Amino acid sequence: MVDSKRSLDLARSHLLSRERALTSSRDTARSHLSSRGTDMGKKVKKDEKPPPDDVFDPLLVESRQAGTVVLMLSSPEEDVQAKACEAIYKYVDKCDENKKQLLDLNAIEALLPLLQSEDRIVRRNACMAVSVMTAHPEVRKKLRKNEEAIPAMITLLAPEEDTVVHEFCALGLSQMAIEFSSKAVIFENNGIEPLVKCLSSTDPDVQKNAIETLAQLLLDYQTRAAIKDCDGLSPMLELLKSEFSIIQKLALLALDRASQDADNRGALRELEAMSKLVDFVAHPEWNDLHVMAVMVLANLLEDHESLELVKETGTLKRLVALITDQPPPEEEAKGGGGKGGKAEKGGSRAAKKSAKDGGKTSRGKKSSEEKEESVPGEAIIPTLPDVKMCAAKAIARSARSAENRKILHEQEAEKMLIHLLAHESTEVQTAAAQALGIMSENLLTKDSIREWEGVQPLVKLLNSDNGDVKEAASLALANLTANNSTNCHDISNFGGIDALIHTLADAREEAVANAACCLTNMATEEALRSDAQNKHIVVKLIEPLKSKNTNVQSKCSLAVAAFVCDVDSRSDFRNNGGIEYLITLLHSGNDEVRRNSSWAIAVCAVDEQTASEVCKLGGMSVLQEIQVSGTRRNPFADVALQNLLNSNLSAKYSLTGALSSTNIILDGFYDAGQLRPGSQFLSLEDYCKQELHDKRPVLLVNAKPESAPKESQSQADAEMAKDSSKTSVSGKSSRTGRETKAKSKAQKEKEEKQREEEIQAQLQREAENQSTTDNKPFEMPCDSNLCQYLEEITEKIQPLQTTREQVIALAQYVSDHMGGPIEKGELANFSYELPISQIRYEMKSNVVPIGKIKTGIHIHRALLFKVLADRIAVGCTLNRGEYNLAWNEVMLPDSDDTPGAPKFPPRTFVVDLVHCPGKLLRADSPEAAQYQQL
């Protein structure tokens, strides 16, 4: 600031010294001329009068300092102001440093009042200077702080002003409109309407600056809503015919932003904007602007009304023909058979095709002009790849609506997209595949794509090296296979299963998710599912389950559920560690991931071995947590837990304390007691490995006959016996040697060494036998008594005629083998714990086979009754109570066989196995309630 004041002072002193010098020189010249006039009297005109004394003579000033010119802006003389403004305009137009210098000299404060000067030249030159200076951000910042700057520039857009003023005012406003705050000020001061009027100017510079300003303003929603009311859309469309590409580009940019408003799209439809834009695309010489034109079309085609309009006028088919480098539909008709028909408006390419074919068709005035401009015989010029890509994206945007998809299908837009799949540009392939994927949500489109041979190109694109292409192709195939078995088989015929399985290992996560979804859809066909299973798809799905992407986790979990529907697939999935990752996904915070992983576990849990593995890995406890959660609970988790318990009856009985009549107890079932909250359910092998304790024993059901000792084990025992005999013989000979003392010292050392070697060899064989025993698979304890029980009831009880008789007889049989009846009130005196403890001590295990127990109470008798009843097909339940109580319930029909007696539905009875074996107690009777309690 100090420098600027110093420069102003220097300029002022310089100006004053120049004025003094000029004044003295003028006085000298005047006295000289007067003296010459006196001497040359005849040559001086006597009628000329000297100027009045109060008038200042004209002064010509030359200044080379910017500060001096800034001072001249404050002059009251309009001529001085105009020349100063013009000098400043030329100076600031040179570089940005000059703009900043004049800003520091406070030129803006001096120029702004001149924008409202009464002199037209002053206003013009001031406007030129200010507008050029707005290119500098500091100048714009200064003008934003001045509330009168933008309104003054808008005022100069009045029709009575010069064209140059319009040009530079629009330029200044375009620079100011870069900042949002200035957009708001221009809108509030009604700057939209005068700018729209400038679009119709005959000067291209005015048009350019005005449309550029509007394009900036249309970034604001207020301007987008107001542009239609100001009739600004029609002039924008007219600018598409401009001779200057920059004006066309800015007009397309403005239309693109304006068409984001629904009301503006409706107004553009009335102005036939879509036909004009297609005509624009039909001009090859404007190919660098075709992308922007298609972007505007994409906005317009979002509305259902726009698609209806282009369907009626044939505009969409013309666009499709242009994008696919094909002749328009009416030209195909003429070239194919020469049949006459009602011709539509054609672009320049249609006219070129007509000239090439020599056809003569009556068109409108516009078509005739285009035909005159076309060159006969010229080939169709292909559109640029970017244009094709934008066109495909426009179709994809429009196809997001179900109604639009229907119209696009009727207009055969799928043909264009399938044609673009073969383009060499990966961006075009990606856009086309994405559009086909969205279009495939229409049922008729799925069949059309197959009929027009669009499936094979999509399958080929799965092998592309480009990740975007692979992702888009997999998405299209996933949508094509949804509820369409024909497409599933078609994809399989083109080798799609191999390509999809290979995609599961791709680094592109969305491609993996789409491939898994497609394979899930194909799994609904048994033949395709078997084919994929033979190609180890179950194992291939394990790796994607480790992904951190929730979409991949969800889709792959669903795919697992679709393919692990047989024993072999479940075995492969289990043996390769897939169960662990499914259980991990149950902890996911994503609802869909939890649902799908729960469903996969529900399918896996129908297999007993897989269900045991799930329980071993803690899956049951996780499902229980989900079941009691208020936010994470879902029906799939309930089904998974139910299937898990139905396949693992031991866990179900420990967890719920109840087995239904459909839960058939098989060998390997064990009762570990009621599972406490927070405790983990252990496997039978874990219980067998535990050391003896004083808690209740684990009751085991195993009617399998004991396996014969293996031949290898007998051979090992024989070898051990042989080695021990050798050792004993060696020891005997050594003792004999010591007694006789006939052997030499060297021989004794040799014998000692031999004994040590034999001892080491024996220890090594024992260690090997021990390791073999440890590595031997777990075998359940055999229950020969239970096998005998099964043989007896099969022979004696199963042949009985009625179920009631079988139940009574079986109850008495169980009581007889469990210590007989126990009087009521004598249960506390019934000794059953000591015999069971003796069995545990003899077996050195906490696991006791149920058949070895000879004195049992409710819990033992009820379990044995359920086991035996299931083997002879007598339906009964097993329910656990408190304090070692358990009971069985059976459904029996009415026993009254009197002819004509009323028949009632079967009733539920509790079977007495303790006090009065064989007695059937109605479930709703007090006796039954007393039996179920102590």
Side-chain angles (χ1 to χ4, degrees):
M1 197 68 181
V2 175
D3 294 339
S4 60
K5 290 182 178 180
R6 186 179 301 161
S7 60
L8 285 173
D9 294 338
L10 291 174
R12 190 177 290 109
S13 60
H14 177 69
L15 182 61
L16 292 174
S17 61
R18 290 285 302 272
E19 288 179 354
R20 293 192 191 98
L22 289 173
T23 302
S24 60
S25 61
R26 188 182 295 111
D27 294 339
T28 305
R30 187 174 298 163
S31 60
H32 177 68
L33 287 174
S34 60
S35 61
R36 288 188 64 187
T38 304
D39 299 335
M40 302 169 60
K42 292 183 179 181
K43 292 184 179 181
V44 178
K45 295 182 180 180
K46 296 181 180 179
D47 55 349
E48 289 184 0
K49 299 180 180 179
D53 295 337
D54 57 348
V55 175
F56 194 85
D57 294 335
L59 176 64
L60 298 177
V61 180
E62 292 185 5
S63 176
R64 299 186 180 276
Q65 295 293 329
T68 304
V69 181
V70 171
L71 290 175
M72 294 172 64
L73 295 175
S74 303
S75 173
E77 297 186 45
E78 295 173 347
D79 187 35
V80 175
Q81 295 173 346
K83 291 181 179 180
C85 291
E86 182 179 3
I88 289 176
Y89 160 69
K90 293 179 180 179
Y91 183 69
V92 297
D93 195 32
K94 294 179 180 179
C95 62
D96 289 342
E97 289 78 5
N98 295 350
K99 300 181 180 69
K100 183 66 170 63
Q101 181 184 357
L102 284 176
L103 176 65
D104 296 337
L105 294 174
N106 299 323
I108 292 296
E109 288 82 349
L111 285 170
L112 287 178
L114 299 182
L115 294 177
Q116 302 174 1
S117 174
E118 297 180 357
D119 186 78
R120 298 173 65 90
I121 299 177
V122 174
R123 290 200 306 270
R124 181 193 67 187
N125 294 350
C127 174
M128 292 168 59
V130 172
S131 299
V132 174
M133 289 183 68
T134 55
H136 199 283
E138 294 294 331
V139 175
R140 294 198 298 271
K141 183 178 179 180
K142 184 74 172 179
L143 291 175
R144 285 198 301 272
K145 294 180 180 180
N146 192 315
E147 297 179 356
E148 298 180 357
I150 292 179
M153 298 174 72
I154 295 175
T155 304
L156 293 178
L157 292 176
E160 59 271 11
E161 293 292 342
D162 293 340
T163 302
V164 177
V165 175
H166 290 168
E167 174 189 346
F168 281 93
C169 277
L171 174 64
L173 290 174
S174 67
Q175 297 288 349
M176 293 297 298
I178 295 176
E179 286 83 9
F180 177 79
S181 58
S182 299
K183 291 184 179 68
V185 175
I186 294 173
F187 178 79
E188 292 170 358
N189 286 274
N190 302 320
I192 307 299
E193 186 173 356
L195 285 170
V196 169
K197 292 180 179 179
C198 289
L199 297 180
S200 303
S201 174
T202 56
D203 189 289
D205 291 326
V206 177
Q207 294 176 344
K208 183 260 180 186
N209 294 337
I211 191 63
E212 185 175 5
T213 306
L214 287 172
Q216 289 285 357
L217 294 174
L218 285 169
L219 289 172
D220 182 23
Y221 74 97
Q222 291 180 321
T223 306
R224 288 198 295 269
I227 194 69
K228 179 175 72 69
D229 298 334
C230 297
D231 298 327
L233 298 176
S234 180
M236 289 181 186
L237 289 173
E238 291 298 321
L239 291 182
L240 296 180
K241 303 176 183 178
S242 174
E243 299 177 357
F244 301 94
S245 61
I246 183 61
I247 296 178
Q248 293 175 319
K249 180 179 179 180
L250 292 171
L252 289 171
L253 180 61
L255 287 171
D256 179 39
R257 294 171 179 174
S259 58
Q260 295 175 12
D261 183 82
D263 294 337
N264 290 342
R265 291 197 293 269
L268 288 171
R269 281 195 300 272
E270 297 176 359
L271 295 171
E272 299 181 356
M274 288 175 290
S275 297
K276 295 178 180 179
L277 289 168
V278 173
D279 292 339
F280 187 89
V281 176
H283 284 77
E285 63 272 16
W286 298 335
N287 57 5
D288 57 331
L289 301 176
H290 286 174
V291 172
M292 300 185 69
V294 174
M295 289 173 64
V296 180
L297 279 171
N299 293 338
L300 296 175
L301 291 176
E302 285 190 16
D303 295 337
H304 178 68
E305 296 80 6
S306 298
L307 274 180
E308 288 284 358
L309 181 61
V310 296
K311 174 185 174 182
E312 295 173 359
T313 59
T315 304
L316 183 59
K317 287 191 174 182
R318 289 178 54 211
L319 176 63
V320 169
L322 292 171
I323 297 302
T324 55
D325 305 325
Q326 302 289 332
E330 65 271 15
E331 299 302 333
E332 292 179 354
K334 290 189 296 181
K339 295 181 181 180
K342 186 177 179 180
E344 300 175 354
K345 290 184 179 181
S348 61
R349 300 184 185 200
K352 294 171 186 175
K353 183 66 179 176
S354 300
K356 184 177 180 181
D357 295 340
K360 296 181 179 180
T361 304
S362 176
R363 302 176 184 268
K365 180 179 179 181
K366 182 178 179 179
S367 299
S368 300
E369 293 175 356
E370 291 174 350
K371 186 174 179 180
E372 291 174 1
E373 293 175 0
S374 63
V375 181
E378 184 179 353
I380 295 176
I381 300 177
T383 52
L384 296 176
D386 289 343
V387 180
K388 299 179 188 294
M389 177 188 67
C390 289
K393 289 183 177 180
I395 297 295
R397 286 179 59 185
S398 179
R400 288 182 295 185
S401 167
E403 297 177 347
N404 291 355
R405 286 195 293 270
K406 182 179 178 181
I407 297 177
L408 290 171
H409 168 69
E410 294 172 355
Q411 295 296 299
E412 299 181 350
E414 302 95 328
K415 282 187 176 181
M416 179 193 84
L417 299 173
I418 294 173
H419 179 82
L420 295 180
L421 290 177
H423 197 275
E424 59 183 7
S425 172
T426 56
E427 294 179 349
V428 175
Q429 294 173 349
T430 301
Q434 288 175 343
L436 284 173
I438 298 175
M439 287 279 293
S440 297
E441 295 182 17
N442 181 279
L443 296 178
L444 297 176
T445 300
K446 296 179 182 180
D447 297 330
S448 299
I449 293 175
R450 182 185 66 255
E451 294 168 0
W452 290 328
E453 300 179 354
V455 174
Q456 187 175 7
L458 288 171
V459 173
K460 288 183 178 180
L461 291 180
L462 288 177
N463 300 319
S464 173
D465 296 332
N466 186 281
D468 292 333
V469 174
K470 191 177 296 186
E471 178 182 339
S474 60
L475 173 63
L477 291 174
N479 290 342
L480 281 173
T481 53
N483 302 319
N484 195 306
S485 59
T486 309
N487 284 347
C488 293
H489 286 281
D490 212 24
I491 291 173
S492 177
N493 294 336
F494 291 119
I497 293 180
D498 291 327
L500 288 167
I501 293 177
H502 180 73
T503 307
L504 291 176
D506 194 77
R508 196 66 171 253
E509 292 181 333
E510 290 303 323
V512 175
N514 295 335
C517 182
C518 183
L519 289 167
T520 304
N521 296 336
M522 297 176 70
T524 56
E525 299 296 317
E526 184 176 357
L528 303 181
R529 183 175 66 249
S530 300
D531 188 14
Q533 289 171 340
N534 294 334
K535 295 175 180 177
H536 308 290
I537 183 175
V538 174
V539 179
K540 301 290 185 182
L541 284 170
I542 295 177
E543 191 64 28
L545 291 176
K546 305 175 187 178
S547 172
K548 301 298 182 181
N549 187 293
T550 55
N551 191 28
V552 175
Q553 294 172 349
S554 173
K555 300 300 183 185
C556 290
S557 298
L558 201 59
V560 169
F563 284 101
V564 292
C565 52
D566 60 88
V567 177
D568 294 336
S569 297
R570 286 193 291 270
S571 178
D572 290 342
F573 188 72
R574 181 181 66 251
N575 296 335
N576 286 276
I579 300 295
E580 179 181 357
Y581 299 107
L582 279 181
I583 295 174
T584 303
L585 295 181
L586 290 176
H587 297 280
S588 173
N590 185 278
D591 294 339
E592 187 176 0
V593 173
R594 284 199 310 273
R595 285 196 298 266
N596 292 346
S597 57
S598 299
W599 179 242
I601 290 178
V603 177
C604 292
V606 298
D607 183 79
E608 183 177 355
Q609 292 182 344
T610 308
S612 300
E613 183 71 14
V614 173
C615 293
K616 183 178 179 181
L617 295 172
M620 187 173 66
S621 59
V622 178
L623 290 172
Q624 288 177 278
E625 293 175 4
I626 295 175
Q627 193 177 36
V628 298
S629 173
T631 57
R632 300 170 60 200
R633 184 173 182 177
N634 62 81
F636 297 96
D638 297 341
V639 173
L641 183 60
Q642 189 63 37
N643 289 356
L644 188 64
L645 296 178
N646 289 336
S647 299
N648 193 341
L649 296 182
S650 302
K652 182 176 183 179
Y653 190 49
S654 293
L655 181 64
T656 64
L659 295 180
S660 66
S661 57
T662 57
N663 297 138
I664 307 301
I665 293 180
L666 302 176
D667 295 333
F669 176 88
Y670 57 97
D671 176 15
Q674 186 70 36
L675 191 65
R676 296 179 180 178
S679 59
Q680 185 177 1
F681 182 77
L682 302 179
S683 65
L684 179 61
E685 184 177 357
D686 294 333
Y687 283 117
C688 289
K689 291 180 179 179
Q690 289 179 349
E691 296 182 357
L692 284 174
H693 53 67
D694 56 353
K695 299 179 182 179
R696 75 179 296 279
V698 177
L699 305 180
L700 172 66
V701 176
N702 182 24
K704 291 181 180 179
E706 187 176 2
S707 59
K710 296 183 180 180
E711 184 179 356
S712 59
Q713 182 66 27
S714 60
Q715 290 178 357
D717 295 341
E719 291 179 358
M720 290 178 62
K722 185 177 179 181
D723 293 339
S724 62
S725 63
K726 287 182 178 180
T727 305
S728 62
V729 171
S730 175
K732 184 178 180 180
S733 62
S734 62
R735 287 194 299 272
T736 305
R738 284 195 300 270
E739 291 174 358
T740 58
K741 299 180 180 180
K743 296 181 180 179
S744 63
K745 185 177 180 181
Q747 189 175 2
K748 289 180 180 180
E749 293 178 354
K750 183 177 181 181
E751 290 176 357
E752 289 289 340
K753 186 177 181 181
Q754 184 178 359
R755 279 199 302 270
E756 291 177 359
E757 291 177 354
E758 290 174 356
I759 292 172
Q760 291 293 335
Q762 185 176 356
L763 292 175
Q764 184 176 358
R765 282 193 294 271
E766 291 178 355
E768 292 177 355
N769 293 334
Q770 182 66 29
S771 63
T772 303
T773 304
D774 295 340
N775 296 331
K776 186 171 63 175
F778 170 73
E779 293 183 1
M780 294 182 295
C782 181
D783 192 351
S784 58
N785 293 337
L786 183 59
C787 296
Q788 184 179 354
Y789 293 166
L790 293 176
E791 292 176 0
E792 292 177 358
I793 65 171
T794 304
E795 181 181 352
K796 298 177 182 179
I797 299 177
Q798 191 172 14
L800 296 178
Q801 295 182 354
T802 64
T803 305
R804 182 182 292 270
E805 294 176 353
Q806 290 176 335
V807 171
I808 295 172
L810 186 59
Q812 295 172 351
Y813 181 86
V814 169
S815 178
D816 292 341
H817 290 78
M818 283 285 180
I822 304 173
E823 295 292 335
K824 293 183 179 180
E826 296 295 327
L827 185 62
N829 300 325
F830 185 76
S831 177
Y832 70 94
E833 294 180 343
L834 182 58
I836 294 177
S837 298
Q838 291 176 348
I839 297 173
R840 295 170 65 180
Y841 179 76
E842 292 173 0
M843 298 183 64
K844 293 182 175 55
S845 174
N846 296 314
V847 180
V848 177
I850 190 65
K852 291 184 178 293
I853 299 176
K854 300 301 181 182
T855 54
I857 56 173
H858 297 74
I859 191 169
H860 310 104
R861 300 186 183 199
L863 175 59
L864 182 59
F865 183 87
K866 170 67 174 172
V867 172
L868 299 178
D870 288 343
R871 300 303 172 97
I872 61 174
V874 174
C876 74
T877 67
L878 177 61
N879 301 282
R880 188 198 306 276
E882 296 180 351
Y883 306 108
N884 285 333
L885 289 179
W887 62 91
N888 305 101
E889 294 180 354
V890 294
M891 295 283 291
L892 297 175
D894 197 347
S895 60
D896 188 1
D897 296 333
T898 305
K903 299 295 182 181
F904 298 98
R907 297 177 179 176
T908 304
F909 295 90
V910 175
V911 183
D912 190 344
L913 300 174
V914 180
H915 306 302
C916 185
K919 185 178 180 179
L920 301 178
L921 312 174
R922 288 186 55 174
D924 55 353
S925 65
E927 293 180 344
Q930 186 178 2
Y931 181 80
Q932 297 169 7
Q933 299 176 358
L934 283 177

